[in-house]
Amino acid sequence: KELVATHGKELLELAREHGARYLYEGSVGGGIPVIRPMENCLAANDIREIYGILNGTTNFILAKMIKEGKILEEALKDAQALGYAERDPSADLDGPDAVRKICILASIASGRHIKPEQVWCEGMRGITVEDIAFADRADMVIKFLGRCVKKGDGMVVYVAPHLIPKHRPLACVDGVFNGITVVGDEVDELMFYGRGAGAAPTASAVMGDIVDILENPDRRGRLWEDGSRYVEDCRVLENRWYVRMTGDLRTAEEIFGEFTAIIQSGGEVVFITAKMDGYSFEQRIKILKELSIVNSSFRILD
C-alpha cells in the first residue's frame, strides 16, 4: 500500500511502457474486491465520494472500547496480544495506514495521483470511553474513517475519527473487518465489506490479480495524471460537529448559536452543532479551547 500510494503513477507508466500490467487489489481492503469493481464495473460512473473503515486494527480497538468499556491503551494491548497490532502501533493509531489506502482509492476515483503528503490526517489517540458513552447516548458510534469527496474541480481527502448514526450500515462494521462505501452518480451508494487484512484474505486478492493477468495479458489499465494541485483543504466540507466540554453551556451558546442536540452528564456537556465548514468550526472552537474547557471534538458523518 505504501508503494502504490507513493509511486503508483510511476509504476503504472512503467508497466505500460514495457507492455506489462500492474495490479494492486491487495493494497486496500485485504480480501475485499474494491479496486477492480471501481475500475471496471463502475467505469460508467462519476465517483463522487468514498468513505470507509480502512484499518482493521483501529476498528478492533474501538469495538473493544465500545463493547467492554476498555480505555484505548487496554484495547491496544488486546490487539497486540492477538497479533492485530504491531509493537509500534503508530501506523494504525496515528493514521498513516489509512492515509495510504484512501490515497489509492481517491487516485482511482479521480484518475489523478494523490499522495500521502497531500492528505489531512487526525489520529484516534484522543478518543476516550467518555466520548464513546456520549456517542451511544446520541444514538451514534465512533469510527476511524478515510474519506474523499469531489468538490468543484478538486477533491477533498482526509483521515479522521467520526461519529456515525447507528442506522447507517457502516456503524455495524465490527472487529477487524473493513467497510468501504463508494458513491457514484449512477449507482448511488455501494458498500464493500469483509476482512481487511490477514494472510489468507490478502493472498486471495493477490492470486486474483495473477489470474487476471494470465487470462487478460493484453488488457491495459488507466494511467494516473499528476494530482499535485488537485487536493482541496478538508475544512471546505460542511459537517455537524460533536463537542464535549466542561462548564457552562451558555458560553458555547454565545459562540455556536443553536444546537441540534444537548447531552449532560456530571460536570460535562456534549452538544452537536448545526452544519458548518471546518474553517467556521475552527474559529469558534478556538475560543472555547482558550478557556481550557474543551475535552474533545469530532466530525459527524450524516
Side-chain angles (χ1 to χ4, degrees):
K1 68 193 77 112
E2 185 174 7
L3 183 67
V4 182
T6 306
H7 299 290
K9 179 178 183 292
E10 176 187 358
L11 291 166
L12 289 167
E13 289 171 350
L14 281 170
R16 177 73 65 87
E17 179 184 340
H18 292 280
R21 297 185 65 196
Y22 181 64
L23 303 183
Y24 45 92
E25 184 68 64
S27 65
V28 179
I32 305 170
V34 63
I35 290 174
R36 195 173 288 109
M38 283 180 59
E39 292 181 328
N40 298 329
C41 305
L42 300 179
N45 283 258
D46 177 20
I47 304 299
R48 302 289 178 80
E49 182 176 356
I50 302 170
Y51 58 90
I53 297 164
L54 303 174
N55 182 282
T57 299
T58 53
N59 203 48
F60 174 86
I61 289 169
L62 284 171
K64 282 281 184 178
M65 294 174 71
I66 292 168
K67 293 183 176 180
E68 301 178 21
K70 294 189 174 185
I71 63 172
L72 188 145
E73 291 76 13
E74 293 171 339
L76 171 61
K77 288 180 180 178
D78 289 346
Q80 289 171 324
L82 292 169
Y84 296 144
E86 302 289 340
R87 177 177 292 182
D88 177 4
S90 56
D92 298 320
L93 298 185
D94 297 329
D97 180 78
V99 164
R100 293 161 188 154
K101 293 171 182 175
I102 197 62
C103 278
I104 295 168
L105 295 176
S107 297
I108 296 167
S110 66
R112 294 172 172 85
H113 189 190
I114 295 167
K115 296 184 178 181
E117 58 265 27
Q118 296 174 264
V119 176
W120 180 292
C121 181
E122 300 169 21
M124 61 168 285
R125 293 182 191 263
I127 300 173
T128 67
V129 291
E130 289 81 10
D131 292 315
I132 286 172
F134 275 117
D136 182 63
R137 291 180 61 183
D139 207 28
M140 300 185 192
V141 295
I142 299 179
K143 296 292 185 182
F144 191 46
L145 304 182
R147 188 183 183 200
C148 64
V149 183
K150 282 197 174 178
K151 187 77 171 176
D153 295 329
M155 177 174 276
V156 173
V157 190
Y158 70 97
V159 168
H162 290 68
L163 271 70
I164 305 178
K166 289 182 181 178
H167 69 267
R168 298 192 66 139
L170 204 61
C172 301
V173 177
D174 210 358
V176 295
F177 283 77
N178 284 189
I180 304 166
T181 298
V182 179
V183 184
D185 61 339
E186 301 295 339
V187 296
D188 200 13
E189 289 195 0
L190 298 176
M191 182 171 169
F192 299 84
Y193 167 83
R195 293 192 176 275
T202 306
S204 171
V206 172
M207 289 305 299
D209 282 346
I210 292 171
V211 170
D212 189 351
I213 290 170
L214 291 172
E215 292 184 345
N216 305 285
D218 298 323
R219 180 181 292 166
R220 293 291 172 261
R222 286 174 288 176
L223 300 178
W224 294 347
E225 299 175 12
D226 177 69
S228 58
R229 299 179 182 273
Y230 186 66
V231 177
E232 301 281 350
D233 193 310
C234 70
R235 289 172 290 186
V236 302
L237 292 180
E238 289 190 344
N239 301 277
R240 292 191 300 152
W241 298 80
Y242 158 103
V243 180
R244 179 167 61 91
M245 60 170 280
T246 304
D248 191 340
L249 186 62
R250 287 176 295 182
T251 305
E253 288 176 332
E254 292 174 359
I255 298 167
F256 282 92
E258 184 179 354
F259 302 144
T260 56
I262 298 171
I263 303 169
Q264 295 183 339
S265 179
E268 290 192 309
V269 177
V270 165
F271 62 91
I272 296 173
T273 74
K275 274 195 172 184
M276 65 181 66
D277 63 49
Y279 294 109
S280 298
F281 179 77
E282 277 191 357
Q283 291 173 354
R284 289 166 169 79
I285 201 70
K286 181 181 178 181
I287 300 171
L288 293 184
K289 286 181 176 179
E290 289 173 349
L291 298 173
S292 300
I293 59 176
V294 176
N295 297 325
S296 60
S297 62
F298 303 106
R299 293 170 178 82
I300 295 174
L301 185 73
D302 287 308

